[in-house]
Amino acid sequence: MSVDTFFQECSIKMGVGILDRNTVTLLPNNLTMEQSEDMTLFMITKYELVNTTHPKTGIEMRIQMQRKILSEMMGTFLPSILLLIITFATTFFKPIWFEAALSVNLTTMLMMTTISIGKMQVLPTTAYVRMIDIWLVFCQWVPFAEVILLTALENYREADGEEVQAQMTLLETEKNKAGSGNLIKVVENYKTSKVNAFQEDEVFGEKNADGE
């Protein structure tokens, strides 16, 4: 952005009719400013009367005005920058605050739309795209992109969580099956060891053999 962006030059050309050019000549002498140079949106920095291409053609009054950017900074840029910072902060919200982050971004987008509509009503209508238009569209696009990003991340977390839960369920099932098989083997081994110990006993083993 150049320095000339903050200045605006207006001119008024005053000429003489063809029939009066031989008798009337406009001279750029003194230019008196009766009103205050400090206006609502502009500050008059320079005003002068100059000749046009030929003295007989007429004169031209040029007024150079400087735009007051403080009102624009306080009314448009500062609120929009703060809203963008809040939008960026929602990226660091924990996953459990997904609904809160979504509400903050949608509210930010609504507020930027309100600021944009209010500014469009104040500024004159032009056929070209202004820098303020690009800035306001960008400020509306950022929370929209943040909503898409948060939604995609939440969808990825849910898919990843479902996959992990399925894997955990499968592992638990296999573990339970393996545990049941081991328990059966332990019980069978315990029974076999008890029978062998009973038969090998000197007292009860002989009685068991006699009984058979």
Side-chain angles (χ1 to χ4, degrees):
M1 183 179 293
S2 62
V3 180
D4 295 336
T5 307
F6 303 106
F7 291 90
Q8 182 175 352
E9 184 173 329
C10 301
S11 62
I12 300 176
K13 294 182 179 181
M14 294 171 284
V16 181
I18 298 176
L19 300 178
D20 298 329
R21 287 182 180 179
N22 295 327
T23 57
V24 179
T25 303
L26 299 178
L27 300 176
N29 291 331
N30 296 327
L31 179 61
T32 303
M33 182 68 65
E34 295 183 354
Q35 71 168 32
S36 175
E37 297 181 357
D38 187 5
M39 297 186 294
T40 304
L41 299 178
F42 295 92
M43 174 78 70
I44 298 177
T45 58
K46 183 180 179 181
Y47 53 92
E48 60 181 353
L49 287 173
V50 295
N51 283 320
T52 53
T53 56
H54 191 273
K56 293 293 184 178
T57 306
I59 60 176
E60 182 180 0
M61 181 179 66
R62 298 175 181 174
I63 301 176
Q64 187 181 51
M65 298 179 291
Q66 182 181 4
R67 184 183 300 273
K68 293 182 179 180
I69 63 173
L70 183 60
S71 60
E72 294 293 334
M73 291 293 295
M74 298 298 294
T76 304
F77 292 101
L78 182 60
S80 58
I81 291 174
L82 293 178
L83 291 174
L84 291 182
I85 293 174
I86 294 174
T87 300
F88 178 72
T90 57
T91 309
F92 302 96
F93 282 14
K94 294 182 178 180
I96 59 175
W97 301 111
F98 168 71
E99 291 82 4
L102 201 64
S103 300
V104 170
N105 283 283
L106 292 177
T107 304
T108 301
M109 189 173 180
L110 179 61
M111 294 180 66
M112 286 308 308
T113 304
T114 304
I115 294 175
S116 178
I117 292 175
K119 188 58 62 177
M120 295 302 173
Q121 292 177 351
V122 174
L123 296 176
T125 303
T126 57
Y128 55 88
V129 179
R130 297 163 294 192
M131 291 298 297
I132 188 66
D133 299 332
I134 298 175
W135 172 256
L136 292 175
V137 170
F138 171 75
C139 292
Q140 288 179 312
W141 182 82
V142 170
F144 172 77
E146 190 73 18
V147 168
I148 300 300
L149 177 62
L150 292 175
T151 304
L153 289 176
E154 183 66 18
N155 189 18
Y156 175 76
R157 290 192 193 101
E158 290 181 357
D160 193 16
E162 292 176 357
E163 183 179 358
V164 172
Q165 186 66 27
Q167 292 179 358
M168 292 297 294
T169 304
L170 181 61
L171 290 175
E172 288 293 335
T173 304
E174 293 179 355
K175 184 177 179 181
N176 292 333
K177 290 181 180 179
S180 301
N182 293 332
L183 181 60
I184 293 173
K185 290 181 180 180
V186 169
V187 171
E188 291 178 352
N189 293 332
Y190 178 75
K191 290 181 179 180
T192 304
S193 63
K194 284 296 184 180
V195 170
N196 293 333
F198 180 75
Q199 291 178 353
E200 292 176 359
D201 190 76
E202 296 180 355
V203 178
F204 295 101
E206 294 177 355
K207 292 182 180 180
N208 186 27
D210 294 338
E212 293 176 355

